[in-house]
Amino acid sequence: MLRAGVGGRLPTTVHYQESLGVGSGTVQKALKDLRNEGAMSLVARGHQGTFITGLDAALLWSAARLSPVHLLLPPNAPPESMRVATAVAERFAPLGAYTTVGHLRGAEPRLRSIEAHQADIALMSAGAAGDLLAAGAGHRTLTLGSGTYYAPGSLVVVTRTPGPGHGAGAELRIGIDLDSDDHQRLTHAEFPEGTGRYVPTDFTSVPRAVLLGEIDAGIWHTVDSLIPLDAAGLTVVPLTRPDAVELARAISAAVLVATRDNIPGVLLARTANEGRDLLTTSPPAPGSGLPGGDDPLRLRV
């Protein structure tokens, strides 16, 4: 019912019998109880079927005893990712649902986790989504605005002060994360072939690798740090090559991905279908399945 939404056609009694392994009497009683409790209202339209004319998503969520919504984020929780996670939690809070957050390195492992039903929703960049999501592969996506995954200026180059030129004639060692498509593409754009030697490096550990002398330079997605990098003897500068700057802009949008049959994904997808921005504070439209209100944030990391 939450999948169908207001205006959607209710699955047949036979469908519920076969999928749940119960008798028709049990199905009819359950539907009657839900209507009596105000969880939904229905109208029969002859051979066309029975249609949902209203629903209370919170009551349906509770009646179905659905698990908390599990959202997968990239590691180290950049500020942009936490803002998206907060917005997702705010959407589901009025249903009485917690949003739990996990962190997994790599957009592809996050995608595989939702496909294996180990999580409900995965967050990735527009660049990763474009590379990983094949048309008709059974996913729902909600693409947010530009700068919601990589905020303007958040992708930077980290070097050792006074920079890689400190060792005259030395070959520049450039950190590159072979498990991150975004990092590889950005690194090749900012440091083309011939600039130096690429060294496999976890993108989240670029500042540490530079500080320890394992590499001379690397691209890093800025996150909050207890100690400013300049105080640690590192220099942080913006991307400079036009190709890298344009690529950073093109892949900067955040994309939320769920499997097509996933209920939290269905509810979030309606946000896009109704032309509403997930990151705004305006309440959802009536009948969307995501009621508004001033309920406290229900986010667990």
Side-chain angles (χ1 to χ4, degrees), residues 123-217:
L123 179 67
M124 62 185 67
S125 72
D131 290 339
L132 295 173
L133 302 181
H139 300 107
R140 293 182 185 273
T141 61
L142 176 59
T143 301
L144 308 183
S146 177
T148 51
Y149 193 88
Y150 298 118
S154 66
L155 290 169
V156 297
V157 175
V158 180
T159 64
R160 281 187 290 178
T161 305
H166 66 89
E171 182 180 39
L172 184 68
R173 298 166 300 165
I174 306 159
I176 187 168
D177 194 329
L178 301 180
D179 292 323
S180 170
D181 182 66
D182 283 355
H183 198 265
Q184 290 182 65
R185 293 168 64 192
L186 286 164
T187 299
H188 285 296
E190 181 70 16
F191 300 98
E193 294 284 349
T195 304
R197 175 168 58 91
Y198 300 125
V199 178
T201 307
D202 180 343
F203 75 90
T204 64
S205 301
V206 163
R208 177 179 179 276
V210 174
L211 187 63
L212 294 177
E214 298 169 352
I215 59 175
D216 300 306

Side-chain angles (χ1 to χ4, degrees), residues 199-238:
V199 178
T201 307
D202 180 343
F203 75 90
T204 64
S205 301
V206 163
R208 177 179 179 276
V210 174
L211 187 63
L212 294 177
E214 298 169 352
I215 59 175
D216 300 306
I219 292 176
W220 184 54
H221 184 192
T222 306
V223 298
D224 294 333
S225 176
L226 293 176
I227 301 176
L229 296 194
D230 57 355
L234 300 176
T235 296
V236 178
V237 297

Side-chain angles (χ1 to χ4, degrees), residues 52-64:
I52 301 170
T53 56
L55 60 80
D56 185 315
L59 287 177
L60 287 175
W61 190 284
S62 176

Side-chain angles (χ1 to χ4, degrees), residues 18 21 33 56 62 67 72 106 112 114 174 184 192 217-218 232 249 256 276 288 293:
E18 294 178 348
D33 289 344
D56 185 315
S62 176
S67 302
L72 279 180
R112 299 296 167 250
I114 65 170
I174 306 159
Q184 290 182 65
R249 184 202 62 77
L256 291 163
R276 292 181 287 110
S288 66

Side-chain angles (χ1 to χ4, degrees), residues 55-58 90-96 267 283-293 295:
L55 60 80
D56 185 315
E90 287 174 340
R91 283 290 188 258
F92 287 104
L95 301 181
L267 298 182
S288 66
L290 290 170
D295 300 65

Side-chain angles (χ1 to χ4, degrees), residues 21-86:
V22 297
S24 62
T26 301
V27 174
Q28 294 297 334
K29 182 179 184 303
L31 293 175
K32 181 179 179 181
D33 289 344
L34 289 173
R35 295 176 73 173
N36 290 340
E37 292 170 6
M40 65 176 184
S41 56
L42 305 172
V43 61
R45 294 177 182 165
H47 68 277
Q48 293 181 341
T50 301
F51 290 80
I52 301 170
T53 56
L55 60 80
D56 185 315
L59 287 177
L60 287 175
W61 190 284
S62 176
R65 299 179 182 177
L66 296 175
S67 302
V69 179
H70 190 49
L71 172 65
L72 279 180
L73 302 180
N76 282 24
E80 302 94 326
S81 296
M82 290 309 299
R83 183 180 178 219
V84 174
T86 297

